[in-house]
Amino acid sequence: MPYYQTWEEFARAAEKLYLTDPMKVRVVLKYRHCDGNLCVKVTDNAACLQYKTDQAQDVKKIEKLHGKLMRLMVSKETHSGSMEMD
Amino acid sequence: MVLLENDSFLTELTQLFQKCRTSGSVVITLKKYDGRTKPAPRKGHTESFEPADNKCLIRASDGKKKISTVVSLPFPQFAYSNLLRAHMDGLKKKDKKSKSKKTKATQ
C-alpha cells in the first residue's frame, strides 16, 4: 500500500482514479490531533493511494482536494475533465 | 450509524473533533452515492431503481460514535471546509525557511 512522497503525484493519481470509476472510489481522511498527523487514502478496493503528513501547509491542499472530489460527486457530469474556472 | 441532516452533521462533526483533541482519531469518509435505499436485487428480479447522479455520502467517526449525511447541492461547502481547516490545526508549522525565501524589500 504505497504512501506517496509528493502531494502533486498523489493528487493527480487520486483524481485520475476517481474519474475511472466514480461509484467505486472512496476517499478516507484520518486526523489525529494527539499525534499531529493527517492521512488521506483514495481507493477503489483494487488500487490504493495514500498520503500522510504532519505539516500544517498540507491541510489546505488536502482539504481542497477533498472539496474538489466532493464537488465532482455531487455534480451531474456528462463527461470528465470539464473544469469551469470562475 | 446516525444519518443526519447537513447542518446537524456539521455540528456533530465539530463535537467529534473537539472530543478527539487529547487522544484518538477522527476518520472522515467520502463516497459518491446513487441514492439507493434497498439492497441490490438478486438475479431474475428487475431493478426498478433510478440511480441518482448528484449525491455523495460523508461519514465520520471517532472509533465509537458514527455519524453520516447525504450531500447534494446546495451544500454549505464553505462551512464544511472551514470546519475541517479550523480543527485540523495541530500539525507542524514550517516557517523556518519561508521567511528567508520571501525577500521583501522592507530592509
Side-chain angles (χ1 to χ4, degrees):
Chain A
M1 294 223 278
Y3 274 99
Y4 277 75
Q5 298 303 315
T6 56
W7 172 254
E8 312 300 318
E9 286 177 23
F10 172 77
R12 246 183 312 181
E15 203 175 328
K16 190 168 166 200
L17 184 65
Y18 172 74
L19 292 172
T20 50
D21 196 338
M23 278 313 291
K24 270 196 150 173
V25 169
R26 69 177 184 278
V27 182
V28 184
L29 201 63
K30 175 152 92 166
Y31 174 67
R32 284 184 68 86
H33 187 88
C34 48
D35 295 339
N37 59 24
L38 180 59
C39 276
V40 204
K41 171 160 74 170
V42 179
T43 177
D44 66 350
N45 295 323
C48 180
L49 317 165
Q50 288 175 291
Y51 183 81
K52 70 175 168 189
T53 182
D54 56 356
Q55 301 293 321
Q57 59 182 350
D58 285 333
V59 173
K60 188 170 176 181
K61 297 181 196 164
I62 291 175
E63 175 271 309
K64 271 175 96 167
L65 177 68
H66 192 80
K68 183 175 189 183
L69 291 172
M70 196 191 317
R71 257 175 291 135
L72 285 174
M73 292 175 187
V74 297
S75 66
K76 279 192 201 282
E77 45 175 30
T78 45
H79 55 278
S80 60
S82 54
M83 280 239 297
E84 290 184 8
M85 314 277 269
D86 34 303
Chain B
M1 169 76 71
V2 186
L3 182 66
L4 301 166
E5 297 297 321
N6 290 347
D7 40 359
S8 328
F9 177 78
L10 293 179
T11 313
E12 293 291 323
L13 182 59
T14 307
Q15 288 180 4
L16 275 186
F17 272 110
Q18 284 166 349
K19 255 205 322 184
C20 292
R21 273 182 104 75
T22 45
S23 74
S25 23
V26 179
V27 181
I28 299 177
T29 306
L30 175 67
K31 188 168 184 194
K32 192 163 162 71
Y33 176 52
D34 61 1
R36 59 178 79 220
T37 48
K38 295 194 183 157
R42 283 182 239 172
K43 270 194 229 174
H45 287 88
T46 44
E47 186 166 313
S48 56
F49 169 72
E50 295 274 331
D53 190 30
N54 59 345
K55 291 194 253 212
C56 73
L57 206 53
I58 309 187
R59 292 200 189 111
S61 169
D62 64 349
K64 303 247 174 78
K65 179 167 172 172
K66 293 176 172 177
I67 52 176
S68 62
T69 190
V70 176
V71 172
S72 51
L73 294 172
F75 177 67
Q77 175 122 36
F78 193 60
Y80 178 64
S81 47
N82 279 353
L83 197 162
L84 290 185
R85 259 186 274 178
H87 285 96
M88 298 190 187
D89 60 344
L91 273 55
K92 292 190 211 156
K93 301 213 168 27
K94 196 165 133 188
D95 57 2
K96 257 194 276 187
K97 297 270 178 180
S98 65
K99 283 202 175 157
S100 60
K101 271 194 181 175
K102 292 185 189 168
T103 48
K104 287 197 174 162
T106 51
Q107 291 163 352

